Amino acid sequence: MLFPPHILLPGPTPVPYAVQQAMLTPLSDHRGAVFQEVARRVPERIKQLLHMDPNGKVAVMPTSGTGVLEAAIQNFFMPGDTVLSVETGAFGERFKTVAEHQGVTVQAITYPWGQAFSPAEVLDYLDQHPVKGVLVTHNETSTGVLNPVETLGQQLKDRASRPLLIVDSISGVPSVPMNMQDWAVDVLVAASQKGFMCPPGLGILAVSGYAEQHLLPERPGRYYLDARPYLNGNFPYTPAVSLWYGLDQALALLAEEGETTRFERHRLLSRITRAYARAGGLHLLVEDQHASPTVTALGLPDAITPADVKSRAARLGLQVAGGMGPWHDRAIRIGHVGLVDAADLWAGLGVLAHVLPDGPSALEKGFAEWHEFLTTKGLD
Ligand SMILES: *Cc1c(COP(=O)(O)O)cnc(C)c1O
């Protein structure tokens, strides 16, 4: 294939050249010195990236993100335990489904699509209904909402007896801020194919020192996803070695860019996309205040369908995502997560402008937003 597609998807995301190269490292005994060095370094780097407490531990498992959502349930909750699921879209709902399949009793607070959860409402609910865990989505990929996990965590932290706070940040970290220690996030789930700029196939389960004390010693149905060997650096089953080499390299690149630059880059991509959408006759389905830095859902004018936009864009070399759930027939989603900079976004928005009724005006306004950013930063 001469031209790979331009992808503006909320996963999978583009993979840096250095990561592709690292994945070609010759295979060797995963108990040998070369891989063991990587196996030691990767969790250490993730621990720093997520600002974990000194006793925190990281498991890297050979599954997509959903497998680690399942691991998060299996390792902390017995069948019959009760958890609260706070849902702001399709992925919040999926987390509930995963828990239900594990025999856990799930109570739910469900928000309308496009809204963020309210920490005060969650805390009120917990005052009335004691539960063993709270499941929340950090960045709801189906709607493009960044939820206030920081506020919730900090307010839960001071309670004498508190449920475990379990966070799906698969499309959040490391593109948006996360401080597991300060925010008292007990368990965090991430995956390789979004902000970590790797191919799909590795899931990350980060467990705080506090949460580790709540790891279940016995749990019916748990075998492959028993987190304990993974957390302790053991490999009872063959690790996905090549992906580990890639992730190790990606973590080095992330450290090189630095979190301040990375967070600002993703916020800028969201701002450009939103300015572009406003001027292009598209509906922003989430308020500015809760807009995700990594994915933007755009409501389309009645005259065009998501399927139409997707196929016309794809013919021109651009892949964007469709809407999910109730937004399936009215929205598209632009992923701007991981290895995406303003130049990449512009290539995509330029293609999309051809498909939109108000394309030229969208380009102009999006451009003005970018120009203002560059001028303010002295970067032009
Ligand atoms: C992508 C995503 C998932 C699912 O991850 P898979 O790797 O496809 O299993 C779950 N939650 C969120 C928030 C996501 O963005």
Side-chain angles (χ1 to χ4, degrees):
M1 189 192 347
L2 181 55
F3 287 103
H6 293 268
I7 49 175
L8 288 178
L9 300 171
T13 62
V15 174
Y17 183 70
V19 171
Q20 294 182 24
Q21 290 293 303
M23 291 189 299
L24 297 174
T25 304
L27 296 173
S28 59
D29 181 5
H30 58 271
R31 306 192 196 282
V34 175
F35 183 71
Q36 282 302 311
E37 176 61 19
V38 171
R40 188 196 55 74
R41 192 162 55 213
V42 164
E44 216 32 66
R45 283 180 157 156
I46 295 174
K47 211 172 137 174
Q48 281 176 19
L49 197 71
L50 301 177
H51 299 280
M52 297 181 73
D53 66 278
N55 296 323
K57 288 184 179 172
V58 173
V60 179
M61 296 170 148
T63 79
S64 83
T66 307
V68 182
L69 293 178
E70 184 158 306
I73 300 297
Q74 280 188 348
N75 283 280
F76 294 98
F77 307 107
M78 290 294 269
D81 280 350
T82 301
V83 301
L84 171 64
S85 164
V86 182
E87 299 166 19
T88 56
F91 289 102
E93 213 177 304
R94 180 183 298 181
F95 206 176
K96 170 176 63 191
T97 306
V98 168
E100 285 172 347
H101 277 76
Q102 297 304 314
V104 171
T105 303
V106 187
Q107 299 172 357
I109 306 182
T110 307
Y111 286 88
W113 277 51
Q115 287 188 19
F117 69 68
S118 148
E121 281 171 15
V122 175
L123 292 165
D124 276 354
Y125 186 94
L126 293 172
D127 284 337
Q128 316 290 326
H129 310 81
V131 297
K132 206 174 158 195
V134 182
L135 316 179
V136 304
T137 315
H138 189 193
N139 187 77
E140 179 48 77
T141 319
S142 61
T143 60
V145 162
L146 184 69
N147 278 305
V149 172
E150 177 175 4
T151 312
L152 178 64
Q154 284 182 338
Q155 296 187 4
L156 264 181
K157 177 158 76 172
D158 302 325
R159 301 196 158 195
S161 111
R162 64 180 181 85
L164 290 174
L165 178 58
I166 317 279
V167 177
D168 170 356
S169 189
I170 294 174
S171 65
V173 297
S175 308
V176 304
M178 170 51 61
N179 190 318
M180 282 183 68
Q181 180 165 24
D182 286 359
W183 304 4
V185 169
D186 297 307
V187 177
L188 181 135
V189 177
S192 53
Q193 81 276 23
K194 297 187 185 178
F196 282 97
M197 309 185 296
C198 288
L202 289 182
I204 295 167
L205 182 75
V207 175
S208 72
Y210 175 78
E212 199 194 6
Q213 299 164 16
H214 293 81
L215 271 169
L216 296 173
E218 294 295 333
R219 210 287 184 189
R222 181 184 65 180
Y223 183 75
Y224 189 64
L225 297 178
D226 185 341
R228 291 170 302 170
Y230 298 96
L231 290 169
N232 292 319
N234 299 323
F235 293 100
Y237 329 110
T238 314
V241 174
S242 303
L243 290 173
W244 275 77
Y245 287 128
L247 182 56
D248 183 43
Q249 179 60 53
L251 288 163
L253 294 173
L254 288 165
E256 196 180 300
E257 181 184 31
E259 62 175 21
T260 312
T261 309
R262 184 166 61 252
F263 300 155
E264 191 167 71
R265 171 166 61 82
H266 285 92
R267 277 200 310 273
L268 171 65
L269 299 177
S270 158
R271 266 174 57 182
I272 294 174
T273 307
R274 292 171 70 81
Y276 172 96
R278 277 193 186 96
L282 306 175
H283 312 296
L284 288 170
L285 301 169
V286 173
E287 283 173 32
D288 283 345
Q289 186 195 356
H290 300 298
S292 160
T294 62
V295 55
T296 305
L298 301 173
L300 299 174
D302 287 338
I304 36 176
T305 66
D308 218 22
V309 171
K310 276 176 62 180
S311 66
R312 289 180 69 192
R315 279 204 296 278
L316 298 170
L318 171 72
Q319 295 182 353
V320 296
M324 295 177 74
W327 294 357
H328 181 266
D329 295 328
R330 56 180 284 229
I332 57 168
R333 289 172 304 145
I334 308 289
H336 29 81
V337 50
L339 187 67
V340 180
D341 66 7
D344 299 315
L345 183 64
W346 278 117
L349 297 181
V351 168
L352 213 52
H354 172 70
V355 179
L356 298 175
D358 248 335
S361 160
L363 283 173
E364 197 183 318
K365 291 284 167 42
F367 185 81
E369 185 79 16
W370 187 38
H371 180 71
E372 187 199 311
F373 173 85
L374 295 178
T375 313
T376 321
K377 295 275 164 192
L379 292 172
D380 56 338

